[in-house]
Amino acid sequence: MENNKDCTMFFDRKNIPPQLLWQLYKNLLLSRLIEEKMLVLLRQGKISKWFSGIGQEAISVGATLAMQNDEWIMPLHRNLGVFTSRNMPLHKLFMQWQGNKNGYSKGRERSFHFGSKEHFICGMISHLGPQLAIADGVALAYKLKKEKKVSLAFTGDGGTSEGDFHEALNVAAVWDLPVIFVIENNGYALSTPVHEQYRCDGLVDKARSYGMEGVRIEGNNVLEVYDTIHGVREYCIRKQKPYLVECMTFRMRGHEEASGIKYVPEKLFEEWAEKDPIKRYEEYLLSQQLFLPDEIENVKTEIRKYIEKELSIGFHATAMAVDTSEELHDVFYSSLPKKTKSSVHKHIRKSETSSGSHVVRDIRFVDAIREGLQQSMRNNDNLVLMGQDIADYGGVFKVTEDFVNEFGKERVRNTPLCESAIVGAALGLSLEGFKSVMEMQFADFVSVGFNQVVNNLAKIHYRWGQNADVVIRMPTGGTVNAGPFHSQSNEAWFIHTPGLKVVYPSTPADAKGLIIAAINDPNPVIFFEHKALYRKITGDVDEVYFETEIGKARQVCEGNDISIITYGLGVHWALDYAAQHSEVSFDVLDLRTLLPLDYDAIKASVNHTGKVLVLHEDTLTGGVGGEISAWICEHCFELLDAPVMRCASLDTPVPFNAELEKNFMADSRLHSYIQKLLNY
């Protein structure tokens, strides 16, 4: 009786109706019984890995049931209760855990590394922290649509040490976003105890540092979790602000089953076993005579039968049939062309002045990008621009100057110096049907957002079918005496990453047409803009809204002696050299897109001349030129009259001194390489 008395005091029903009390219990029980079954199957070798949430079920179940079913949740390893409380069929979950094609990721992802747009669950990646910023983006979408919704993201005590935690909370606070951050403080990040993670009294104390409210609660009390998240949700909607909830709990198994539990003192298991969230809640329900013992036993029997039935379906799933073409196809999201407010024109160059016609003007490279962005903003009400200093200041290169006056600060958003969080927020916007363009102030700075780009944006469609409608603008390149951290050509970092498209225009017309195409493309696009071209290069650009097709190279000039395959500033190096050496017939190919490459155009150029020089500003080792050269040697060997040569910049960082930088640049060696090819 004394124990029941303690339980009664521990739980506070408040105004929760009996049917919800019962629903909470059934969801807790379902999660626990599935877990126990999975541990048996793991020992039998029928699943390969398992991250157990035994002891923490109240947080997942209570939080999920306190949310609306169409509000996004970003769970982690131990949040089975999120998936089951969103009524995802167990047989399909089991197929997922088996790596079966009929699971949620077609066998491409493991355990809980998947999502489902149907259930408003965003799949995690192993790096943990990026989930938090995605919740920012979803909350921003709700805010822009003026919907009374919140997003919720989970992290662990260990995850709070990551920079992504700081960035996501800071952005949420600065932008006043309706997002709930839930910390599951279970005492250990794998084997690292909390006293080696932080020195503050509690993780909830960090809320004040970001100017937000926070609360620490008993994470094993499902009623406290539900009531807290329910109230916090209403607060976030009413105040349009974020909130931090620290849930104190304990995991009764290892980080994952293979890691064991030897590093945890035995007494902790004894203490927390007395706080078991299901045992204590069940005792409470019985002590209050809310439900009868027979009802409890009956529901346990029903759930066990359900589990066995669902597992039987999962075990009899069709064996994996590998389809290489499907694997390659699913790297990118494909969609039918969408109608826009204006007609789309491609490669229009003729100037017309009659009524209803359009005009081609000679404008600068920077103005072409600006025009493409501006027209895209007018044609896409769901397009948001984000970046450091891009609003009132107009960006460091003034590309978005005065945009805020036309489109407002909701759609032209200054960001804190949180590159990782802003890339994540862009992905979160995409979950809710928004397009976004993020300006990376300098391409060099993308390194601090690299994880979000290559592991989240790039892989999400292949992993579980969710597209990332995001463009990242990358002011890039040297020749402007800006030194090692404002001059890098880092496009090669991204062409190795399936799922990204990498675009690099060299002319004003292509700058406009490709930025529009990139925005209209539902896949993540890394859009390189050479800083030296911004105000130096001009060209004819049609005034209308038009696209230049991504993935198609442009033959700049046709020749018979030497092919120069290049892009960006390299195009102008090649043209300048050709103009000074009219005795040589050059075939110049402007790649324009580096991923995917236009191999047909490359082969055609090789066929024209038989002698190929691949020219780029990036350093030689590991540059795009190596891939192109290898492909030509493998697929066009019989067309060659000389070895494929690469002319690139030195394998050093980009120096500041003007003479050192000039020596660094590839064009300083262009003449010698061309002479080698001519004399071969």
Side-chain angles (χ1 to χ4, degrees):
M1 289 298 296
E2 189 66 25
N3 286 338
N4 287 342
K5 182 179 179 181
D6 288 344
C7 289
T8 302
M9 295 176 64
F10 182 69
F11 291 96
D12 186 355
R13 175 183 173 181
K14 296 187 177 179
N15 295 318
I16 300 177
Q19 62 267 29
L20 180 53
L21 293 174
W22 188 238
Q23 185 181 6
L24 287 165
Y25 177 69
K26 291 205 304 185
N27 277 271
L28 284 173
L29 192 59
L30 175 62
S31 180
R32 174 65 62 85
L33 294 178
I34 291 173
E35 289 253 27
E36 291 176 351
K37 185 66 177 182
M38 290 304 111
L39 295 179
V40 172
L41 295 176
L42 181 69
R43 290 192 292 270
Q44 294 174 346
K46 295 180 179 179
I47 57 173
S48 62
K49 198 176 187 70
W50 189 255
F51 293 87
S52 177
I54 290 178
Q56 298 184 200
E57 297 95 340
I59 303 172
S60 298
V61 171
T64 303
L65 292 181
M67 299 281 284
Q68 298 299 305
N69 286 333
D70 60 350
E71 292 175 321
W72 283 91
I73 296 179
M74 288 71 187
L76 294 179
H77 294 98
R78 266 169 283 282
N79 295 127
L80 172 62
V82 173
F83 297 86
T84 53
S85 295
R86 282 282 167 92
N87 297 316
M88 299 177 81
L90 177 57
H91 69 268
K92 191 163 183 177
L93 286 172
F94 185 61
M95 292 174 189
Q96 173 68 30
W97 301 330
Q98 283 185 303
N100 190 275
K101 190 167 186 176
N102 293 318
Y104 286 94
S105 66
K106 298 185 179 181
R108 296 164 182 163
E109 265 292 11
R110 63 196 301 185
S111 59
F112 293 100
H113 292 247
F114 71 96
S116 169
K117 191 163 189 174
E118 176 188 356
H119 299 91
F120 295 89
I121 294 175
C122 180
M124 63 173 289
I125 64 174
S126 293
H127 304 71
L128 306 182
Q131 288 287 86
L132 302 168
I134 300 174
D136 282 353
V138 170
L140 176 57
Y142 294 153
K143 192 179 186 79
L144 292 173
K145 291 191 286 188
K146 295 179 170 53
E147 295 181 339
K148 293 182 178 181
K149 293 182 179 180
V150 303
S151 61
L152 185 148
F154 289 92
T155 189
D157 45 276
T160 65
S161 297
E162 295 190 347
D164 284 290
F165 176 83
H166 162 83
E167 292 194 17
L169 267 65
N170 191 54
V171 169
V174 171
W175 284 357
D176 293 321
L177 300 176
V179 55
I180 303 172
F181 299 105
V182 177
I183 302 171
E184 295 180 294
N185 190 341
N186 61 25
Y188 288 86
L190 208 156
S191 69
T192 304
V194 292
H195 70 266
E196 295 180 16
Q197 288 289 346
Y198 57 86
R199 283 292 184 263
C200 50
D201 291 336
L203 292 171
V204 69
D205 296 339
K206 298 193 176 190
R208 291 195 300 272
S209 303
Y210 304 105
M212 70 174 68
E213 296 295 322
V215 65
R216 174 190 274 188
I217 65 173
E218 175 53 66
N220 283 24
N221 185 332
V222 71
L223 296 189
E224 187 173 349
V225 174
Y226 173 84
D227 182 64
T228 300
I229 299 300
H230 184 269
V232 166
R233 177 183 176 274
E234 292 179 346
Y235 167 90
C236 292
I237 291 172
R238 183 175 68 255
K239 297 286 189 179
Q240 286 296 289
K241 289 183 179 297
Y243 206 101
L244 180 66
V245 181
E246 180 183 11
C247 299
M248 305 307 294
T249 188
F250 187 76
R251 54 175 164 82
M252 300 297 286
R253 310 289 301 185
H255 169 71
E256 42 85 29
E257 289 305 303
S259 64
I261 55 174
K262 290 182 179 180
Y263 50 85
V264 182
E266 182 63 32
K267 65 178 183 179
L268 285 179
F269 289 103
E270 295 172 1
E271 291 173 8
W272 283 94
E274 292 301 312
K275 301 178 184 179
D276 183 278
I278 299 173
K279 175 185 175 183
R280 294 297 297 271
Y281 184 53
E282 183 180 300
E283 290 173 349
Y284 167 76
L285 295 177
L286 292 172
S287 70
Q288 297 298 299
Q289 297 181 345
L290 291 165
F291 301 100
L292 299 174
D294 286 348
E295 292 178 291
I296 298 290
E297 291 305 314
N298 287 340
V299 78
K300 289 180 180 179
T301 300
E302 289 174 7
I303 290 176
R304 288 192 176 99
K305 287 180 179 179
Y306 165 75
I307 291 172
E308 293 301 328
K309 177 182 176 182
E310 291 290 295
L311 292 186
S312 177
I313 297 172
F315 274 125
H316 290 89
T318 305
M320 176 68 72
V322 177
D323 185 336
T324 300
S325 62
E326 182 183 13
E327 289 295 290
L328 293 171
H329 176 271
D330 285 356
V331 170
F332 292 112
Y333 177 83
S334 300
S335 64
L336 295 174
K338 297 178 181 179
K339 293 182 179 179
T340 56
K341 296 177 183 177
S342 300
S343 302
V344 174
H345 298 262
K346 294 187 180 181
H347 307 295
I348 299 171
R349 296 291 178 267
K350 183 178 179 181
S351 177
E352 301 179 44
T353 57
S354 60
S355 176
S357 62
H358 44 86
V359 178
V360 171
R361 302 119 323 128
D362 184 58
I363 63 175
R364 300 177 301 178
F365 190 90
V366 67
D367 297 323
I369 294 174
R370 171 186 171 83
E371 189 169 274
L373 287 170
Q374 190 173 41
Q375 291 181 357
S376 293
M377 288 287 280
R378 292 169 180 168
N379 277 265
N380 297 278
D381 292 337
N382 64 336
L383 174 60
V384 178
L385 307 184
M386 301 184 290
Q388 295 161 21
D389 307 298
I390 70 165
D392 297 300
Y393 190 69
V396 294
F397 299 106
K398 304 301 180 184
V399 174
T400 56
E401 192 169 22
D402 296 326
F403 273 32
V404 73
N405 295 327
E406 180 176 356
F407 304 110
K409 287 193 174 182
E410 283 197 330
R411 294 183 63 203
V412 184
R413 306 184 71 90
N414 276 342
T415 70
L417 273 68
C418 298
E419 286 85 357
S420 180
I422 302 307
V423 177
L427 177 53
L429 281 169
S430 188
L431 297 185
E432 277 294 303
F434 279 81
K435 294 177 175 290
S436 60
V437 176
M438 176 194 177
E439 177 182 306
M440 197 66 65
Q441 195 168 72
F442 290 86
D444 313 60
F445 300 164
V446 74
S447 56
V448 290
F450 195 71
N451 180 41
Q452 288 279 21
V453 176
V454 302
N455 284 319
N456 235 349
L457 289 185
K459 295 179 172 65
I460 194 165
H461 183 260
Y462 176 78
R463 290 170 57 231
W464 53 278
Q466 171 62 48
N467 72 301
D469 204 339
V470 178
V471 178
I472 301 178
R473 292 182 47 235
M474 301 274 279
T476 189
T479 75
V480 292
N481 310 131
F485 305 114
H486 294 76
S487 307
Q488 296 175 81
S489 297
N490 51 21
E491 60 271 13
W493 293 358
F494 303 101
I495 65 166
H496 182 67
T497 305
L500 297 177
K501 294 187 178 182
V502 181
V503 175
Y504 203 140
S506 68
T507 68
D510 283 344
K512 178 180 175 179
L514 285 169
I515 192 66
I516 291 173
I519 292 168
N520 288 335
D521 195 304
N523 295 284
V525 180
I526 312 299
F527 192 89
F528 285 91
E529 308 164 7
H530 203 292
K531 302 187 298 288
L533 301 182
Y534 274 148
R535 289 167 173 83
K536 180 180 178 181
I537 299 299
T538 65
D540 289 345
V541 180
D542 200 303
E543 67 175 357
V544 301
Y545 178 81
F546 70 91
E547 288 188 20
T548 300
E549 186 176 357
I550 292 175
K552 294 295 181 183
R554 175 178 68 98
Q555 187 172 22
V556 181
C557 54
E558 188 173 347
N560 302 312
D561 294 333
I562 290 179
S563 294
I564 300 180
I565 299 174
T566 186
Y567 56 92
L569 186 58
V571 174
H572 300 281
W573 286 339
L575 291 177
D576 289 346
Y577 188 91
Q580 297 168 22
H581 298 82
S582 57
E583 72 280 5
V584 182
S585 176
F586 288 99
D587 193 275
V588 179
L589 184 68
D590 178 2
L591 292 170
R592 300 195 293 193
T593 301
L594 304 181
L595 185 65
L597 282 166
D598 187 348
Y599 290 112
D600 290 339
I602 292 171
K603 185 172 185 178
S605 184
V606 176
N607 191 46
H608 288 160
T609 67
K611 293 185 176 182
V612 180
L613 179 67
V614 184
L615 170 66
H616 58 64
E617 182 181 339
D618 192 10
T619 52
L620 181 69
T621 302
V624 180
E627 175 61 31
I628 296 171
S629 175
W631 187 88
I632 292 172
C633 289
E634 183 177 353
H635 297 276
C636 309
F637 184 77
E638 69 281 1
L639 302 176
L640 293 172
D641 297 323
V644 178
M645 295 189 181
R646 294 174 292 153
C647 181
S649 296
L650 295 179
D651 282 336
T652 71
V654 187
F656 163 67
N657 178 273
E659 292 304 312
L660 289 176
E661 186 184 41
K662 182 178 179 181
N663 178 65
F664 165 85
M665 288 293 166
D667 69 321
S668 66
R669 287 167 292 283
L670 180 57
H671 178 71
S672 64
Y673 276 96
I674 288 175
Q675 291 304 307
K676 286 180 183 178
L677 276 174
L678 286 173
N679 296 326
Y680 189 85

